[in-house]
Amino acid sequence: MNRLRLAGAVLLSAAAYYVYLPLPSGVSEPWKLMLLDALFRSFLQASDAAHSLGVCHRVHLLNQVVSWVEVIEARSCAAVHVTDSTLGGVPTRVFQPKEGKQLKRGVLYFHGGGWALGRMRSYDRLCRKMAEDLDAVIMSVDYRLAPEAVFPDQYHDALAASRAFLSSQVLERYGIDPHRVCVSGDSAGGNLAAAVAQELSLDDTLTVKFKAQALIYPVLQALDFYTPSYQQNQAVPILYRPIMARFWLQYLGADSSLEPLLLANNHSSLDQPAISASARSKLDWTALLPPKRRKHFRPVVKETGSPGVMGEVPELMDVRAAPLLAEQGVLGRTPKAYVMTCEFDVLRDDGLMYVRRLQDAGVAVTSDHYEDGFHGCMVFAFLPMMSSVGQRSMNNYIHWLDQNL
């Protein structure tokens, strides 16, 4: 019996050691985040091992786990009719309220996951809640994923789905008010939503355009991995700084060996002729961020770097992949915006810089910042995590849509 107790104590101690992670004092419900991070780290380590052994690509194992645990069939409930369809040839799940007004609002949603991970169960729960609370038709797009699909495939899927969503045939079929349509997404999905909003704002052939864009902790640039939020939150779960660099390289179809160069900002050194002074000004956080967010951090700009990177990965400068690089005239034509950011998120400053650039371009912007938030918190508003900041952020996001759409 004593040996069993000792073994149990050792196992518990080992588990606590694995789970425990020093976190900033202000983060919401730290033990919940530690447990979530321990789960994610386990999956990541298993997928890295499978990748190293040549069993499968690391993303394939992660998506297999997601499909086992998270993916659910289209299931209707008393309030919402759920069906699988296509938009512009792209698989899409549609959430339609069964009651309410005959003409409804419409939201096109792009899920997050580093352009590589599939739609999780939590996105169905989010879209179902949005449909019911807003009396709106919500369409969640299953765009193609890395590594099989790389940029611009995901962008093209998002654009095709958006054009179809705004077509008279789709609007009439689902009873959507053409004056009350929004494009939205979180993380990598926020990237796609921002890029689509820019592209379609320039298309004068469209008779219907998005009236709002709602971006949830979006990823918007890959030239500076030393913004204050990247420096402050590099070791804060669930999106670690190296993981974001890896996601970018997978999305752009680039060699994973370039990861250390990106993390050192060698790809954006001053000797890179492809990066003009104008482009650098569009993500100059020393000018675009308020002092409260800049804090004590200093820019990391190399005089000389790795000159071949931009030639090898020119997509780093493509505005369709990095919407923060858009010209002010383009931003000025995009619809009113909601941008959610979280203090303990490496992508915080991507969103805050975009807020400033949109405002400078004359766009009405609501900046919704969560001082205790972390990356991905909104989709963890549901069981089993029931994140407090996730629930607050989700409710405020839905409230903004209700008031502005």
Side-chain angles (χ1 to χ4, degrees), residues 223 268-270 272-284 317 325 327 357:
L223 292 182
S268 55
S269 55
L270 294 176
Q272 300 281 357
I275 310 177
S276 66
S278 174
R280 293 183 188 280
S281 71
K282 295 177 175 67
L283 42 81
D284 178 9
M317 291 294 297
L325 298 178
E327 298 294 335
R357 293 211 59 224

PDB file of all heavy atoms in Angstrom, residues 223 268-270 272-284 317 325 327 357:
ATOM      1  N   LEU A 223       6.671  40.148 -41.188  1.00  0.00           N
ATOM      2  CA  LEU A 223       7.971  40.793 -41.368  1.00  0.00           C
ATOM      3  C   LEU A 223       8.665  41.087 -40.046  1.00  0.00           C
ATOM      4  O   LEU A 223       9.890  41.201 -40.004  1.00  0.00           O
ATOM      5  CB  LEU A 223       7.819  42.087 -42.169  1.00  0.00           C
ATOM      6  CG  LEU A 223       7.423  41.946 -43.638  1.00  0.00           C
ATOM      7  CD1 LEU A 223       7.370  43.317 -44.301  1.00  0.00           C
ATOM      8  CD2 LEU A 223       8.382  41.026 -44.386  1.00  0.00           C
ATOM      9  N   SER A 268      13.849  40.493 -42.728  1.00  0.00           N
ATOM     10  CA  SER A 268      13.393  41.879 -42.909  1.00  0.00           C
ATOM     11  C   SER A 268      14.493  42.884 -42.578  1.00  0.00           C
ATOM     12  O   SER A 268      14.221  44.019 -42.185  1.00  0.00           O
ATOM     13  CB  SER A 268      12.162  42.146 -42.036  1.00  0.00           C
ATOM     14  OG  SER A 268      12.422  41.836 -40.679  1.00  0.00           O
ATOM     15  N   SER A 269      15.736  42.476 -42.725  1.00  0.00           N
ATOM     16  CA  SER A 269      16.872  43.360 -42.452  1.00  0.00           C
ATOM     17  C   SER A 269      16.883  44.543 -43.419  1.00  0.00           C
ATOM     18  O   SER A 269      16.229  44.515 -44.472  1.00  0.00           O
ATOM     19  CB  SER A 269      18.182  42.574 -42.552  1.00  0.00           C
ATOM     20  OG  SER A 269      18.274  41.927 -43.815  1.00  0.00           O
ATOM     21  N   LEU A 270      17.651  45.553 -43.083  1.00  0.00           N
ATOM     22  CA  LEU A 270      17.666  46.790 -43.876  1.00  0.00           C
ATOM     23  C   LEU A 270      18.299  46.605 -45.246  1.00  0.00           C
ATOM     24  O   LEU A 270      18.126  47.475 -46.117  1.00  0.00           O
ATOM     25  CB  LEU A 270      18.400  47.887 -43.101  1.00  0.00           C
ATOM     26  CG  LEU A 270      17.714  48.348 -41.808  1.00  0.00           C
ATOM     27  CD1 LEU A 270      18.583  49.376 -41.086  1.00  0.00           C
ATOM     28  CD2 LEU A 270      16.332  48.925 -42.091  1.00  0.00           C
ATOM     29  N   GLN A 272      17.442  44.371 -47.357  1.00  0.00           N
ATOM     30  CA  GLN A 272      16.486  43.680 -48.217  1.00  0.00           C
ATOM     31  C   GLN A 272      15.863  44.686 -49.188  1.00  0.00           C
ATOM     32  O   GLN A 272      15.005  45.483 -48.787  1.00  0.00           O
ATOM     33  CB  GLN A 272      15.379  43.023 -47.384  1.00  0.00           C
ATOM     34  CG  GLN A 272      15.854  42.001 -46.378  1.00  0.00           C
ATOM     35  CD  GLN A 272      16.161  40.657 -47.004  1.00  0.00           C
ATOM     36  OE1 GLN A 272      15.965  40.458 -48.196  1.00  0.00           O
ATOM     37  NE2 GLN A 272      16.639  39.723 -46.207  1.00  0.00           N
ATOM     38  N   PRO A 273      16.255  44.701 -50.453  1.00  0.00           N
ATOM     39  CA  PRO A 273      15.744  45.708 -51.391  1.00  0.00           C
ATOM     40  C   PRO A 273      14.254  45.572 -51.663  1.00  0.00           C
ATOM     41  O   PRO A 273      13.606  46.542 -52.076  1.00  0.00           O
ATOM     42  CB  PRO A 273      16.560  45.448 -52.673  1.00  0.00           C
ATOM     43  CG  PRO A 273      17.017  44.035 -52.557  1.00  0.00           C
ATOM     44  CD  PRO A 273      17.215  43.784 -51.103  1.00  0.00           C
ATOM     45  N   ALA A 274      13.676  44.394 -51.401  1.00  0.00           N
ATOM     46  CA  ALA A 274      12.248  44.192 -51.673  1.00  0.00           C
ATOM     47  C   ALA A 274      11.355  44.920 -50.673  1.00  0.00           C
ATOM     48  O   ALA A 274      10.168  45.126 -50.938  1.00  0.00           O
ATOM     49  CB  ALA A 274      11.922  42.696 -51.658  1.00  0.00           C
ATOM     50  N   ILE A 275      11.935  45.325 -49.528  1.00  0.00           N
ATOM     51  CA  ILE A 275      11.132  45.993 -48.497  1.00  0.00           C
ATOM     52  C   ILE A 275      11.438  47.486 -48.526  1.00  0.00           C
ATOM     53  O   ILE A 275      12.493  47.929 -48.069  1.00  0.00           O
ATOM     54  CB  ILE A 275      11.426  45.419 -47.095  1.00  0.00           C
ATOM     55  CG1 ILE A 275      11.337  43.893 -47.098  1.00  0.00           C
ATOM     56  CG2 ILE A 275      10.444  45.995 -46.083  1.00  0.00           C
ATOM     57  CD1 ILE A 275      11.685  43.251 -45.779  1.00  0.00           C
ATOM     58  N   SER A 276      10.526  48.252 -49.056  1.00  0.00           N
ATOM     59  CA  SER A 276      10.715  49.696 -49.186  1.00  0.00           C
ATOM     60  C   SER A 276      10.477  50.386 -47.849  1.00  0.00           C
ATOM     61  O   SER A 276       9.909  49.816 -46.912  1.00  0.00           O
ATOM     62  CB  SER A 276       9.746  50.255 -50.223  1.00  0.00           C
ATOM     63  OG  SER A 276       8.406  50.117 -49.771  1.00  0.00           O
ATOM     64  N   ALA A 277      10.894  51.629 -47.785  1.00  0.00           N
ATOM     65  CA  ALA A 277      10.652  52.432 -46.578  1.00  0.00           C
ATOM     66  C   ALA A 277       9.159  52.592 -46.342  1.00  0.00           C
ATOM     67  O   ALA A 277       8.682  52.600 -45.200  1.00  0.00           O
ATOM     68  CB  ALA A 277      11.322  53.796 -46.723  1.00  0.00           C
ATOM     69  N   SER A 278       8.397  52.707 -47.419  1.00  0.00           N
ATOM     70  CA  SER A 278       6.941  52.823 -47.300  1.00  0.00           C
ATOM     71  C   SER A 278       6.345  51.569 -46.673  1.00  0.00           C
ATOM     72  O   SER A 278       5.476  51.651 -45.794  1.00  0.00           O
ATOM     73  CB  SER A 278       6.324  53.060 -48.678  1.00  0.00           C
ATOM     74  OG  SER A 278       4.917  53.041 -48.606  1.00  0.00           O
ATOM     75  N   ALA A 279       6.820  50.395 -47.114  1.00  0.00           N
ATOM     76  CA  ALA A 279       6.317  49.145 -46.542  1.00  0.00           C
ATOM     77  C   ALA A 279       6.657  49.046 -45.060  1.00  0.00           C
ATOM     78  O   ALA A 279       5.831  48.626 -44.243  1.00  0.00           O
ATOM     79  CB  ALA A 279       6.895  47.954 -47.301  1.00  0.00           C
ATOM     80  N   ARG A 280       7.870  49.450 -44.706  1.00  0.00           N
ATOM     81  CA  ARG A 280       8.268  49.385 -43.297  1.00  0.00           C
ATOM     82  C   ARG A 280       7.411  50.299 -42.428  1.00  0.00           C
ATOM     83  O   ARG A 280       7.105  49.968 -41.272  1.00  0.00           O
ATOM     84  CB  ARG A 280       9.749  49.752 -43.154  1.00  0.00           C
ATOM     85  CG  ARG A 280      10.696  48.728 -43.781  1.00  0.00           C
ATOM     86  CD  ARG A 280      12.161  49.105 -43.557  1.00  0.00           C
ATOM     87  NE  ARG A 280      13.050  48.233 -44.314  1.00  0.00           N
ATOM     88  CZ  ARG A 280      13.421  47.021 -43.957  1.00  0.00           C
ATOM     89  NH1 ARG A 280      13.002  46.542 -42.798  1.00  0.00           N
ATOM     90  NH2 ARG A 280      14.226  46.290 -44.720  1.00  0.00           N
ATOM     91  N   SER A 281       7.002  51.429 -42.969  1.00  0.00           N
ATOM     92  CA  SER A 281       6.197  52.372 -42.188  1.00  0.00           C
ATOM     93  C   SER A 281       4.827  51.800 -41.848  1.00  0.00           C
ATOM     94  O   SER A 281       4.211  52.207 -40.862  1.00  0.00           O
ATOM     95  CB  SER A 281       6.022  53.680 -42.956  1.00  0.00           C
ATOM     96  OG  SER A 281       5.162  53.511 -44.080  1.00  0.00           O
ATOM     97  N   LYS A 282       4.353  50.860 -42.631  1.00  0.00           N
ATOM     98  CA  LYS A 282       3.022  50.289 -42.410  1.00  0.00           C
ATOM     99  C   LYS A 282       2.980  49.349 -41.219  1.00  0.00           C
ATOM    100  O   LYS A 282       1.897  48.961 -40.761  1.00  0.00           O
ATOM    101  CB  LYS A 282       2.549  49.560 -43.679  1.00  0.00           C
ATOM    102  CG  LYS A 282       2.326  50.496 -44.871  1.00  0.00           C
ATOM    103  CD  LYS A 282       1.928  49.728 -46.113  1.00  0.00           C
ATOM    104  CE  LYS A 282       1.581  50.644 -47.265  1.00  0.00           C
ATOM    105  NZ  LYS A 282       2.743  51.409 -47.763  1.00  0.00           N
ATOM    106  N   LEU A 283       4.148  48.950 -40.720  1.00  0.00           N
ATOM    107  CA  LEU A 283       4.182  48.130 -39.506  1.00  0.00           C
ATOM    108  C   LEU A 283       5.224  48.642 -38.519  1.00  0.00           C
ATOM    109  O   LEU A 283       5.797  47.890 -37.730  1.00  0.00           O
ATOM    110  CB  LEU A 283       4.423  46.653 -39.852  1.00  0.00           C
ATOM    111  CG  LEU A 283       5.455  46.266 -40.906  1.00  0.00           C
ATOM    112  CD1 LEU A 283       6.854  46.259 -40.332  1.00  0.00           C
ATOM    113  CD2 LEU A 283       5.116  44.918 -41.486  1.00  0.00           C
ATOM    114  N   ASP A 284       5.420  49.944 -38.554  1.00  0.00           N
ATOM    115  CA  ASP A 284       6.347  50.589 -37.619  1.00  0.00           C
ATOM    116  C   ASP A 284       5.639  50.784 -36.281  1.00  0.00           C
ATOM    117  O   ASP A 284       4.953  51.781 -36.055  1.00  0.00           O
ATOM    118  CB  ASP A 284       6.809  51.937 -38.183  1.00  0.00           C
ATOM    119  CG  ASP A 284       7.740  52.675 -37.230  1.00  0.00           C
ATOM    120  OD1 ASP A 284       8.163  52.074 -36.207  1.00  0.00           O
ATOM    121  OD2 ASP A 284       8.032  53.861 -37.492  1.00  0.00           O
ATOM    122  N   MET A 317       5.641  39.605 -48.801  1.00  0.00           N
ATOM    123  CA  MET A 317       5.289  40.992 -49.102  1.00  0.00           C
ATOM    124  C   MET A 317       3.947  41.112 -49.820  1.00  0.00           C
ATOM    125  O   MET A 317       3.541  42.201 -50.185  1.00  0.00           O
ATOM    126  CB  MET A 317       6.384  41.620 -49.974  1.00  0.00           C
ATOM    127  CG  MET A 317       7.693  41.832 -49.269  1.00  0.00           C
ATOM    128  SD  MET A 317       7.572  43.064 -47.951  1.00  0.00           S
ATOM    129  CE  MET A 317       7.146  44.521 -48.905  1.00  0.00           C
ATOM    130  N   LEU A 325      -0.028  45.370 -44.737  1.00  0.00           N
ATOM    131  CA  LEU A 325       0.802  46.076 -45.712  1.00  0.00           C
ATOM    132  C   LEU A 325      -0.014  46.836 -46.753  1.00  0.00           C
ATOM    133  O   LEU A 325       0.556  47.455 -47.655  1.00  0.00           O
ATOM    134  CB  LEU A 325       1.737  45.088 -46.425  1.00  0.00           C
ATOM    135  CG  LEU A 325       2.751  44.353 -45.550  1.00  0.00           C
ATOM    136  CD1 LEU A 325       3.566  43.379 -46.386  1.00  0.00           C
ATOM    137  CD2 LEU A 325       3.676  45.341 -44.843  1.00  0.00           C
ATOM    138  N   GLU A 327      -2.169  49.602 -48.802  1.00  0.00           N
ATOM    139  CA  GLU A 327      -2.069  51.055 -48.928  1.00  0.00           C
ATOM    140  C   GLU A 327      -3.235  51.726 -48.211  1.00  0.00           C
ATOM    141  O   GLU A 327      -4.321  51.162 -48.083  1.00  0.00           O
ATOM    142  CB  GLU A 327      -2.067  51.459 -50.403  1.00  0.00           C
ATOM    143  CG  GLU A 327      -0.891  50.924 -51.206  1.00  0.00           C
ATOM    144  CD  GLU A 327       0.438  51.514 -50.764  1.00  0.00           C
ATOM    145  OE1 GLU A 327       0.429  52.629 -50.200  1.00  0.00           O
ATOM    146  OE2 GLU A 327       1.474  50.854 -50.960  1.00  0.00           O
ATOM    147  N   ARG A 357      -4.126  51.963 -38.336  1.00  0.00           N
ATOM    148  CA  ARG A 357      -4.050  52.233 -39.768  1.00  0.00           C
ATOM    149  C   ARG A 357      -5.443  52.409 -40.368  1.00  0.00           C
ATOM    150  O   ARG A 357      -5.650  53.257 -41.238  1.00  0.00           O
ATOM    151  CB  ARG A 357      -3.289  51.115 -40.493  1.00  0.00           C
ATOM    152  CG  ARG A 357      -1.807  51.070 -40.109  1.00  0.00           C
ATOM    153  CD  ARG A 357      -0.938  50.571 -41.251  1.00  0.00           C
ATOM    154  NE  ARG A 357      -1.078  51.421 -42.424  1.00  0.00           N
ATOM    155  CZ  ARG A 357      -1.210  50.976 -43.672  1.00  0.00           C
ATOM    156  NH1 ARG A 357      -1.236  49.668 -43.907  1.00  0.00           N
ATOM    157  NH2 ARG A 357      -1.321  51.808 -44.665  1.00  0.00           N
TER     158      ARG A 357
END
